[in-house]
C-alpha cells in the first residue's frame, strides 16, 4: 500500500464496485490462491494505470478528494483478451454449411478481397473495434487481410482508440485465388514496412502473419522467419491443426516435415511470441514442442464447433508435465460471437464433451491474465497489479431478466456466491452483461 496525502492531484481517480482479478493460474494452483476478490472494492488509478486496489472501507480515508465513480451491484474485471480474431471476416460471421477449406474458398477469400480498398477497410475496422469494446474486449490479436492498406486501416482505428492490439498483414502466396495472393518477396517487404510504421506505436504491436502452411510456400515461411530474426520483439500469428482435411493436405505439401508444427518450426517460427490458433488435432509430440518453445495456443471453441473442426484438448494443453500457454479466441468469422463470455460458454461445453470440467474462475482466468500471458503482455495488462494499464470491464450480473432471476441477490459476499454468479455469467452472459468498458482508465463504451 502506498501513503498518499496530497490530493486533489491530477490524474488520480477511482472506481467503486465488486472487484475480481487473478494473481495466479487456477489450472495449476488452488483457486482461492488465484482469485482476488473485494465484495466492496476500490480501484484507484493514476493516469490510466493501477495505483492501488483494495476494500473500499480501508482505502477511502486516503482518497477523500478524488473523483470516485460508483457502480453499485456491478462487478469490475480486467478487460477481456481475444487471442485470435479476423477483422475482415466480421461480415462473413454465420456463413452456412461448410467446413474449413470449402468455407475459406466460398466465403472468406472473396470477402477479404474487398480490403484492398482502404476506405472500406477503415469502415469495417471501426465497426469491428466498437464491437470488441461493446463486448468488453480491450485487447485482441488480429488477422488483417493480405493488403497493407488493410493493416494501415486497422491500426489507424486502434490507435485512435488507444487500444492495446496486435495485428499483421496476412502472408499467402499459393492455393488461393490470385487477387488475394502476394509473393514471398513482396510479403517480406510489405511486412517490414508495416513493422517499421506500426510496431510499438502507442499501445500497438505487430504480428508476422502467415495464414497457414497450405497458403504459404516454404520460401514464404522462411521469409517470415527472417522477419522474426530481424525484429525479435514482434509476434508470430498463424493457424495450426484445425481440421483433419487441412492436416492431411499439409502432410502432402510438406512430405519432408515430421508433422504440421514442423512446417513452422523449420522456418524458425516456433518461439515464445508465437501464437497458434486452434491446435485441435495436435500430436503429443507437438504439444510437447509448444511447451518447450513457450509458444501459445488460441483456443477458439465457437469456431471449432461451428466449422465442425473438433474438440480442443484443454486439459492436455494445461498439463503439469508439458504446460502450454492458452488464451481464448473468438476467431470471428469462423467463430460465431464477439463475446468472450459466449466463448467461455462454448469452452465449457467442449470440455464437457471430453468428460472434463472448466470452472468459471478458470474461464475468466483464460479471458484475462491467461490471455495476457499467451500474448506475453502480462507486464502491461491482464490483472489489476499496481502499475498495469487499467483496461477494465464493468459487468452487470443481473443484466437480463433470466440472469436476474438466476442471481436474485444483488450482493456477492462470499467466494462461493461469486463462483456461482461468475459461472452463470460465463454460460448465459454476453454483450448484454457489459455495462461499460474502460481503456486506460477512460470510458470507451457505455451501455445505453
Ligand atoms: N485457416 C486458414 N485461414 C483461416 C481462417 O481464416 N479462419 C480459420 N478459422 N482457419 C483458417
Ligand atoms: Zn482464424
Amino acid at each position: 500500500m502506498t501513503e498518499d496525502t496530497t490530493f486533489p492531484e491530477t490524474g488520480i481517480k477511482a472506481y467503486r464496485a465488486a472487484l475480481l482479478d487473478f494473481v495466479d493460474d487456477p489450472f495449476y494452483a488452488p483457486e482461492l490462491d488465484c482469485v482476488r476478490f473485494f465484495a466492496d472494492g476500490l480501484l484507484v488509478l493514476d493516469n490510466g494505470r493501477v495505483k492501488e486496489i483494495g476494500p473500499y472501507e480501508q482505502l477511502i480515508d486516503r482518497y477523500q478528494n478524488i473523483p470516485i465513480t460508483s457502480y453499485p451491484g456491478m462487478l469490475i474485471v480486467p478487460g477481456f483478451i481475444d487471442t485470435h480474431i479476423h477483422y475482415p471476416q466480421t461480415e462473413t460471421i454465420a456463413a452456412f454449411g461448410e467446413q474449413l477449406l470449402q468455407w475459406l474458398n466460398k466465403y472468406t477469400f472473396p470477402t477479404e478481397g474487398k480490403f484492398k480498398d482502404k476506405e472500406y477497410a477503415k469502415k469495417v475496422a471501426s465497426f469491428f473495434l466498437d464491437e470488441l469494446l461493446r463486448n468488453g474486449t480491450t485487447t485482441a490479436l488480429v488477422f488483417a487481410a493480405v493488403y497493407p492498406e488493410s493493416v494501415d486501416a486497422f491500426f489507424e482505428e486502434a490507435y485512435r482508440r488507444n487500444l492495446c492490439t496486435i495485428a499483421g498483414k496476412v502472408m499467402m502466396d499459393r492455393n488461393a485465388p490470385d487477387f488475394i495472393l502476394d509473393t514471398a518477396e513482396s510479403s517480406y517487404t510489405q511486412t517490414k514496412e508495416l513493422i517499421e510504421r506500426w510496431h510499438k506505436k502507442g499501445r500497438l504491436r505487430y504480428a508476422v502473419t502467415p495464414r497457414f502452411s497450405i497458403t504459404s510456400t516454404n520460401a514464404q515461411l522462411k521469409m517470415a522467419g527472417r522477419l522474426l530474426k530481424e525484429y525479435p520483439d514482434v509476434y508470430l500469428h498463424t493457424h495450426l491443426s484445425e481440421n483433419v482435411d487441412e492436416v492431411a493436405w499439409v502432410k502432402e505439401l510438406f512430405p519432408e516435415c515430421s508433422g504440421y508444427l514442423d512446417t513452422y518450426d523449420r522456418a524458425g517460427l516456433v518461439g515464445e511470441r508465437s501464437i497458434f490458433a486452434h491446435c485441435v488435432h495436435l500430436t503429443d509430440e507437438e504439444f510437447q514442442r509448444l511447451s518447450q518453445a513457450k509458444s501459445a495456443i488460441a483456443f477458439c471453441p465457437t469456431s471449432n464447433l461451428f466449422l465442425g473442426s473438433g474438440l480442443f484438448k484443454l486439459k492436455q494443453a494445461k498439463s503439469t508435465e508439458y504446460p502450454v500457454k492458452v488464451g481464448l479466441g473468438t476467431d470471428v468469422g469462423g467463430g460465431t460471437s464477439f463475446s468472450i463470455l459466449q466463448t467461455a460458454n462454448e469452452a465449457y461445453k467442449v470440455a464437457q464433451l471430453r468428460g472434463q470440467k472448466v470452472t468459471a474462475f478458470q474461464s475468466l482466468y483464460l479471458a484475462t491474465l491467461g490471455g495476457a500471458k499467451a500474448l506475453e503482455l502480462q507486464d502491461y495488462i491482464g490483472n489489476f497489479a499496481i502499475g498495469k494499464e487499467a483496461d477494465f470491464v464493468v459487468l452487470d450480473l443481473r443484466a437480463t431478466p433470466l440472469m436476474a432471476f438466476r442471481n436474485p441477490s444483488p450482493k456477492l459476499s462470499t467466494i462461493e456466491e461469486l463462483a456461482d454468479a461468475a459461472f452463470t455469467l460465463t454460460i448465459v452472459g454476453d454483450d448484454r452483461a457489459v455495462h461499460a468498458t474502460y481503456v486506460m482508465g477512460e470510458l470507451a463504451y457505455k451501455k445505453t
Side-chain angles (χ1 to χ4, degrees), residues 84-86 89 143 239 242 277-278 331-332:
H84 179 70
I85 186 165
H86 301 248
Q89 295 176 17
F143 262 67
H239 298 93
E242 176 177 2
H278 305 298
D331 192 33
V332 166

Side-chain angles (χ1 to χ4, degrees), residues 67-370:
I68 296 181
T69 308
S70 288
Y71 285 113
M74 304 267 169
L75 175 70
I76 290 181
V77 303
F80 296 137
I81 297 175
D82 187 338
T83 62
H84 179 70
I85 186 165
H86 301 248
Y87 98 81
Q89 295 176 17
T90 303
E91 66 201 79
T92 61
I93 196 165
F96 174 75
E98 304 296 346
Q99 295 210 349
L100 177 64
L101 299 174
Q102 296 73 27
W103 175 84
L104 285 171
N105 280 317
K106 186 165 169 184
Y107 301 114
T108 312
F109 294 155
T111 304
E112 291 192 16
K114 298 191 209 167
F115 286 73
K116 179 151 184 48
D117 176 349
K118 183 159 172 205
E119 282 315 301
Y120 186 74
K122 281 269 267 196
K123 259 193 231 151
V124 178
S126 182
F127 176 84
F128 170 90
L129 290 167
D130 289 346
E131 193 63 15
L132 287 184
L133 290 169
R134 240 174 44 69
N135 281 278
T137 298
T138 49
T139 284
L141 172 59
V142 181
F143 262 67
V146 71
Y147 317 106
E149 295 85 342
S150 72
V151 181
D152 289 332
F154 177 81
F155 277 139
E156 283 169 19
E157 289 297 317
Y159 186 72
R160 207 157 65 73
R161 291 167 176 80
N162 197 26
L163 285 170
C164 175
T165 50
I166 312 172
K169 175 202 119 66
V170 177
M171 303 167 74
M172 49 193 297
D173 64 349
R174 65 168 167 178
N175 290 324
D178 282 349
F179 63 84
I180 208 179
L181 293 181
D182 55 15
T183 65
E185 289 70 30
S186 71
S187 67
Y188 171 81
T189 313
Q190 291 172 348
T191 299
K192 202 172 167 67
E193 281 171 14
L194 290 165
I195 292 171
E196 297 282 348
R197 184 142 69 242
W198 293 110
H199 184 57
K200 297 235 166 124
K201 184 176 162 103
R203 304 179 78 200
L204 309 175
R205 289 161 175 88
Y206 196 88
V208 174
T209 309
R211 178 167 221 118
F212 63 161
S213 293
I214 286 175
T215 49
S216 285
T217 59
N218 206 18
Q220 184 168 60
L221 295 178
K222 289 233 157 73
M223 285 297 193
R226 187 166 148 197
L227 286 161
L228 295 184
K229 277 224 174 76
E230 287 176 45
Y231 299 96
D233 63 351
V234 302
Y235 293 85
L236 185 282
H237 183 199
T238 190
H239 298 93
L240 174 63
S241 280
E242 176 177 2
N243 163 290
V244 286
D245 294 342
E246 171 208 15
V247 176
W249 194 3
V250 170
K251 281 198 179 126
E252 276 173 35
L253 291 170
F254 293 85
E256 71 284 8
C257 290
S258 63
Y260 196 161
L261 181 60
D262 195 37
T263 65
Y264 297 133
D265 219 351
R266 287 179 185 221
L269 305 185
V270 183
E272 66 181 336
R273 286 175 184 277
S274 304
I275 296 93
F276 297 97
H278 305 298
C279 297
V280 171
H281 304 287
L282 289 187
T283 63
D284 292 351
E285 291 71 29
E286 288 174 324
F287 270 114
Q288 288 169 25
R289 174 66 187 128
L290 290 180
S291 173
Q292 178 204 27
K294 300 191 168 62
S295 299
I297 295 173
F299 171 26
C300 307
T302 76
S303 170
N304 297 160
L305 296 172
F306 180 73
L307 293 176
S309 302
L311 305 174
F312 178 64
K313 297 171 188 162
L314 180 60
K315 282 281 142 81
Q316 184 164 3
K318 300 292 292 181
S319 77
T320 327
E321 278 174 285
Y322 298 108
V324 183
K325 295 181 291 188
V326 178
L328 293 176
T330 60
D331 192 33
V332 166
T336 53
S337 172
F338 275 80
S339 170
I340 287 290
L341 296 173
Q342 275 308 291
T343 306
N345 171 19
E346 301 297 284
Y348 178 84
K349 295 170 190 168
V350 166
Q352 277 281 38
L353 285 166
R354 288 202 167 276
Q356 298 160 356
K357 292 176 193 171
V358 183
T359 69
F361 291 141
Q362 287 174 332
S363 286
L364 290 173
Y365 169 82
L366 293 178
T368 57
L369 187 59

